[in-house]
């Protein structure tokens, strides 16, 4: 093989390797962007890591109330350094499986400037999360509070009666629903929707 042919073959091989490496890098970048939504979908589908389910009002209306009952305890936190006071209006509720229930949380901005927050949440024990359905929740949206403003924020939920048929979850008598508010950077904050924040 002549030196020109060898050089041409080498250049072609290098071009192929560069294209393959570029495609691999793009695929890894795309997978990185897709990882978070895919992980969220997995958590929502399985209740993994205490991720609750979402239900429409129509879906909730189709659920039959069962004889069994469960106590839901409420826990509230704010990220360190966030000047909000945040707590449940009542510490627990006991209701029948499948029955819709309404709970309120109180949030107050104790600072002298507007702050936007968003709530993360989880359910304990983890095996109960798959059966915990939220119909409406302040955690679905960012919440902006003006200086010293206080709001009542609702969550409407039910516990699916199918929990009683799950051998891993049927002995659960109490469920803890926990929220933590985190500040949202001003650049990412959206205006407060008072119809969703105030109860």
């Amino acid at each position: 093989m002549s030196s020109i042919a060898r050089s041409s073959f080498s250049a072609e091989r290098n071009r192929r390797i560069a294209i393959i490496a570029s495609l691999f890098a793009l695929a890894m970048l795309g997978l990185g962007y897709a990882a978070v939504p895919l992980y969220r979908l997995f958590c929502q589908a399985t209740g993994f890591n205490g991720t609750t389910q979402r239900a429409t009002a129509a879906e909730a209306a189709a659920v039959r109330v069962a004889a069994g009952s469960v106590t839901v305890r409420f826990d509230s936190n704010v990220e360190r350094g966030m000047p909000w006071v945040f707590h449940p209006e009542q510490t627990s509720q006991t209701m029948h499986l499948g029955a819709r229930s309404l709970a309120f949380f109180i949030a107050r901005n104790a600072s002298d400037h507007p702050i936007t927050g968003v709530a993360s949440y989880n359910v304990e024990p983890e095996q109960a999360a798959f059966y915990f359905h939220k119909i409406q929740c302040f955690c679905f949206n960012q919440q902006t509070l003006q200086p010293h403003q206080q709001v009542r924020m609702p969550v409407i939920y039910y516990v699916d009666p199918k929990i009683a048929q799950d051998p891993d979850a049927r002995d659960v008598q109490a469920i803890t629903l926990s929220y933590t508010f985190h500040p949202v950077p001003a650049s990412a904050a959206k205006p407060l929707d008072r119809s969703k924040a105030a109860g």
Side-chain angles (χ1 to χ4, degrees):
M1 184 183 289
S2 70
S3 61
I4 294 174
R6 274 200 304 272
S7 176
S8 176
F9 176 77
S10 179
E12 180 63 29
R13 187 181 63 185
N14 289 344
R15 195 176 303 115
R16 257 191 248 132
I17 291 171
I19 290 170
I20 290 169
S22 297
L23 289 173
F24 181 76
L26 286 172
M28 289 297 101
L29 182 64
L31 190 59
Y33 278 108
V36 172
L38 287 174
Y39 180 74
R40 271 195 203 125
L41 286 172
F42 169 75
C43 289
Q44 288 171 355
T46 63
F48 180 74
N49 205 25
T51 302
T52 61
Q53 310 300 301
R54 287 180 73 163
T56 64
E59 288 169 338
V63 176
R64 290 192 173 191
V65 177
S69 64
V70 66
T71 297
V72 176
R73 300 183 185 124
F74 304 112
D75 176 58
S76 59
N77 308 277
V78 293
E79 186 175 306
R80 185 186 295 266
M82 185 177 184
W84 277 20
V85 178
F86 174 54
H87 60 87
E89 202 167 66
Q90 61 186 101
T91 56
S92 67
Q93 293 178 336
T94 300
M95 82 287 289
H96 287 292
L97 296 175
R100 281 177 282 184
S101 191
L102 170 66
F104 284 96
F105 284 73
I106 309 296
R108 181 172 62 84
N109 179 0
S111 78
D112 293 325
H113 57 277
I115 296 179
T116 297
V118 65
S120 61
Y121 55 86
N122 75 319
V123 162
E124 291 290 338
E126 195 173 289
Q127 64 266 32
F130 182 75
Y131 302 99
F132 197 102
H133 294 258
K134 292 179 187 173
I135 304 162
Q136 179 183 335
C137 182
F138 58 88
C139 60
F140 295 161
N141 305 284
Q142 295 178 5
Q143 307 295 332
T144 300
L145 299 187
Q146 298 306 312
H148 307 288
Q149 180 185 9
Q150 178 171 299
V151 293
R152 293 174 79 223
M153 301 182 297
V155 53
I156 303 173
Y157 68 94
Y158 67 92
V159 179
D160 195 322
K162 290 177 183 172
I163 193 172
Q165 300 163 17
D166 184 336
D168 294 325
R170 65 186 173 203
D171 294 328
V172 171
Q173 300 294 313
I175 297 171
T176 299
L177 174 62
S178 180
Y179 290 102
T180 300
F181 256 107
H182 310 273
V184 174
S187 59
K190 298 173 185 174
L192 171 68
D193 183 344
R194 295 183 190 281
S195 68
K196 292 186 175 73

